[in-house]
Amino acid sequence: MAWSSSKYVSPSLASIPVQIDPSAAGTTIRWALAAEAGINALTSAFMIFKPSTLLQMISVSSSSPDPVAAAMLQWLGGLTLALIAPLLLAFPNTKSGIESRPVVYATLLSMEVALLPLITWQAMTGHTLSSKSLVNVAATFIGPILWRLWILWYRPELMGRYTEDKKGT
């Protein structure tokens, strides 16, 4: 016998009718989510299909890249590709889309904040990758980190707001 109760609501990807607040329609964040999904798609394709080319661009050595490093870069490409899913799930102006945006942004922020000191440390310790390349990679995280902090703490209304439609009105 299945458990059923009208007291509790089960999460769903179904679109629940909501009234979007015109003063906080979420247009800016939706553009940002779409842009980031596109950038992730291009970046992950490069990592998956041309890992050796990317490794040669950032490596200190001019020799052929290590096959293990190429495989690991392909895995990273797969993870980057997988990050498109939450970005696209947060895109629609539905109740679930709007409510998931802060969680998606906080998750991506935590990943970027965790990677930044690791990459910086590798650049400072003379890792096998070019220090200049590692600094450039680390620098690419600064913009997204500042953007996410600004959105999450200073301009959360840009995430979008809604009111639930009242049935029968």
Side-chain angles (χ1 to χ4, degrees), residues 85-144:
L87 293 168
L88 295 180
L89 288 171
F91 181 80
N93 255 355
T94 60
K95 181 178 180 177
S96 60
I98 293 168
E99 288 178 352
S100 68
R101 291 172 190 165
V103 175
V104 168
Y105 257 39
T107 302
L108 294 172
L109 175 64
S110 66
M111 179 192 69
E112 291 156 350
V113 166
L115 285 174
L116 190 59
L118 175 62
I119 293 167
T120 304
W121 172 72
Q122 287 178 339
M124 292 175 12
T125 58
H127 208 265
T128 59
L129 301 175
S130 155
S131 292
K132 181 180 177 187
S133 295
L134 287 169
V135 168
N136 289 339
V137 168
T140 63
F141 285 111
I142 300 299

Side-chain angles (χ1 to χ4, degrees), residues 5 17 20 23-24 39 42 46 51-52 86 89 95 98 107 110 113 142 150 155-157:
S5 171
I20 303 299
S23 69
I39 291 167
L42 292 172
F46 193 49
S52 295
L89 288 171
K95 181 178 180 177
I98 293 168
T107 302
S110 66
V113 166
I142 300 299
W150 184 66
R155 296 295 304 274
E157 71 277 5

Side-chain angles (χ1 to χ4, degrees), residues 8-86:
Y8 300 101
V9 177
S10 296
S12 169
L13 291 177
S15 178
I16 297 169
V18 293
Q19 190 68 31
I20 303 299
D21 179 351
S23 69
T27 305
T28 302
I29 200 70
R30 294 176 77 215
W31 276 103
L33 291 166
E36 187 165 356
I39 291 167
N40 282 1
L42 292 172
T43 304
S44 63
F46 193 49
M47 287 189 280
I48 292 168
F49 297 113
K50 294 288 190 180
S52 295
T53 303
L54 182 58
L55 287 169
Q56 285 176 336
M57 289 169 47
I58 63 174
S59 178
V60 172
S61 168
S62 61
S63 66
S64 168
D66 183 353
V68 174
M72 298 296 284
L73 187 58
Q74 288 176 315
W75 294 357
L76 182 60
L79 291 172
T80 303
L81 187 63
L83 287 174
I84 295 172

